[in-house]
């Protein structure tokens, strides 16, 4: 039997899709294109309206393939599945499985059953009481690459006014530290050189009733100590919960990369309060100051929302000011999007679309300047690049064959600050999964160009 997975949304969804693929391969399934698949799985995101709408258009697209293959069906997992549930069955009769985050562990078995019982539909959208531990299925091909993700918690308890995640991912449930450490060790044995710990709010790891008493700082130290691990990262961090020990870890743990994604959302205290973020600018700036004291070269990234209900020009100017003060190296910025069931969706005063669109453009133009500045600052420096694969442009030349340009090959990866780096290596041979010492020659708009040392 064949399967095809389409993934939307955050890294937690990407990681769930990777697990699903491994679990299906372990059961004898083969990954294929959608045209040859017996089951097409959509792992969905509903954080904003746009990704949710994409799910419906993608279902329309894959229906064509499913219609041509007798017995083939679609499965919808992730956050839109949790939100709409069995509602998919009526609207899209070729959808025969819906599963939420906590149902993912049982999805492979459900798919096997559905392939045998053609009149059946299955809905797995109940939240479980504890972290739904699943067989990591790590010993099945494909082997994890140099970079691996490990989920350390599920769900979120913060209920930020604009956010649907607590409804789609459920209450926060920390995973047992022993299970996290065991998965990390196995990944390193299998060749992973970098691990990114994942959760909606990793700084509150262990603070819920499901935790085993291990704090996030302790977990970080445990993972950092694994022999053979070169790089450790984590995402996402909520500023209100970042512990002093975690800030200090940036100066203490050599494997912890000098990069942190710390969502700010808005630079206006009034809007932060309305969002229910539970920190103000003064608190955020004090965290930044302490992070820079612990690790002076730390690269900071953030998430920003423009056009939250009631946001005035003056509020927005404060967001721009906050960006100028912190000088984020990178940011993901979004126009506020009403999500069903959230507190913000019920707020009466909405920002007109064109005003929000204009604010987003201004914010992104400001960010582009800071990003260019940060990348330009890297030119002339020596860096370590963890190679993830061939550079896109030179891909046809690689895979064992030397390029026409005298054997040089070009590889793509990240430096410790999380900059994308394309590095030209003098000799041929696959560099994927290795760390290349490189000299930065040039800064492009969103990446660096380097040559091997
Ligand atoms: N748990 C993470 C965020 C997960 S959602 C955190 O708290 O940092 C990723 C990002 O999507 C958020 O940081 C926010 O900037 C954005 N986002 C969430 N809901 C949104 C909405 N309704 N409209 C626009 N952007 C939203
Ligand atoms: Fe959403 Fe806030 Fe939870 Fe992040 S912390 S997932 S923004 S509710
Ligand atoms: Fe999207 Fe769900 Fe992740 S809403 S951002 S896939 S937690």
């Amino acid at each position: 039997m064949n399967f095809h997975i389409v993934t939307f949304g955050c890294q937690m969804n990407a990681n769930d899709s990777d697990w699903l693929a491994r679990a299906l391969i372990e059961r004898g399934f083969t990954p294929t294109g959608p045209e040859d698949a017996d089951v097409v799985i959509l792992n969905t995101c509903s954080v904003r309206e746009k990704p949710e709408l994409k799910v419906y258009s993608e279902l329309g697209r894959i229906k064509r393939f499913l219609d041509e293959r007798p017995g083939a069906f679609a499965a919808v997992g992730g956050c839109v599945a949790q939100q709409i549930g069995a509602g998919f069955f009526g609207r899209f009769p070729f959808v025969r499985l819906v599963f939420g985050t906590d149902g993912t562990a049982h999805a492979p078995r459900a798919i096997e059953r559905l392939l045998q019982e053609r009149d059946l539909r299955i809905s797995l959208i109940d939240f479980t009481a504890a972290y739904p531990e699943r067989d990591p299925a790590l010993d099945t091909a494909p082997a994890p690459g140099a970079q691996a993700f490990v989920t350390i918690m599920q769900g979120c308890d913060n209920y930020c006014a604009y956010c649907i995640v607590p409804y789609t991912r459920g209450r926060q449930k920390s995973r047992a530290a022993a299970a996290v450490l065991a998965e990390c060790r196995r990944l390193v044995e299998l060749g992973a050189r970098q691990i990114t710990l994942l959760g909606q709010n990793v700084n509150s790891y262990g603070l819920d009733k499901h935790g085993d008493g291990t704090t996030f700082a302790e977990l970080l130290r445990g993972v950092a100590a694994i022999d053979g691990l070169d790089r450790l990262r984590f995402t996402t961090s909520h500023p209100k919960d970042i512990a002093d020990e975690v800030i200090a870890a940036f100066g203490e743990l050599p494997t912890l990369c000098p990069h942190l994604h710390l969502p700010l959302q808005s630079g206006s205290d009034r809007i932060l309060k309305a969002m229910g973020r539970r920190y103000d600018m003064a608190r955020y700036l004090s965290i930044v100051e302490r992070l820079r004291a612990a690790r002076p070269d730390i690269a900071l990234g953030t998430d920003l929302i423009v056009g939250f209900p009631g946001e005035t020009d003056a509020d927005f100017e404060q967001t721009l000011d906050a960006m100028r003060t912190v000088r984020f190296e990178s940011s993901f910025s979004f126009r506020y999007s009403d999500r069903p069931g959230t507190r913000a969706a019920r707020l009466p005063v909405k920002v007109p679309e064109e005003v929000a669109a204009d604010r987003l453009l201004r914010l992104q133009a400001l960010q582009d300047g800071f990003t260019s500045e940060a990348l330009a600052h890297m030119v002339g420096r020596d860096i370590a690049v963890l190679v993830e694969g061939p550079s896109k442009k030179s891909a046809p030349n690689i895979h064992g064959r030397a390029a026409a340009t005298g054997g040089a090959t070009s590889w793509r990866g990240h430096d410790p600050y999380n900059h994308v780096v394309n590095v030209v290596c003098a000799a041929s041979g696959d560099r994927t999964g290795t760390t290349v010492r490189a000299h930065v020659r040039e800064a492009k708009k969103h990446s660096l160009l380097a040559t091997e040392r």
Side-chain angles (χ1 to χ4, degrees), residues 47-48 162 200 236 263 265 277 303 305 334-335 337 339:
V47 77
R48 285 167 293 277
Y162 49 82
Q200 284 302 345
T236 307
Q265 312 300 2
R277 291 290 287 178
D303 286 352
I305 296 177
F334 312 99
R335 215 164 76 187
S337 163
R339 302 315 291 136

Side-chain angles (χ1 to χ4, degrees), residues 156-166 200-201 238 265 277:
C156 179
D157 289 345
N158 286 321
Y159 290 97
C160 299
Y162 49 82
C163 185
I164 200 169
V165 170
Q200 284 302 345
N201 182 10
H238 193 305
Q265 312 300 2
R277 291 290 287 178

Side-chain angles (χ1 to χ4, degrees), residues 139-209:
D139 301 312
T140 319
Q147 142 64 31
F149 291 107
V150 175
T151 301
I152 66 166
M153 66 205 298
Q154 202 73 272
C156 179
D157 289 345
N158 286 321
Y159 290 97
C160 299
Y162 49 82
C163 185
I164 200 169
V165 170
Y167 307 94
T168 61
R169 289 306 232 227
R171 295 293 62 69
Q172 178 177 312
K173 292 184 289 238
S174 295
R175 187 177 178 194
V180 173
L181 286 165
E183 185 170 337
C184 291
R185 282 193 201 100
R186 186 72 191 119
L187 282 163
V188 172
E189 272 168 27
L190 290 169
R193 291 293 160 263
Q194 168 174 299
I195 286 178
T196 304
L197 302 177
L198 292 180
Q200 284 302 345
N201 182 10
V202 291
N203 291 318
S204 64
Y205 172 82
L207 300 180
D208 54 282
K209 64 179 190 298

Side-chain angles (χ1 to χ4, degrees), residues 8-13 44-47 79 164-165 168-169 200:
F8 303 93
C10 60
Q11 285 162 332
M12 300 188 73
N13 258 19
T44 63
C45 172
S46 59
V47 77
C79 290
I164 200 169
V165 170
T168 61
R169 289 306 232 227
Q200 284 302 345

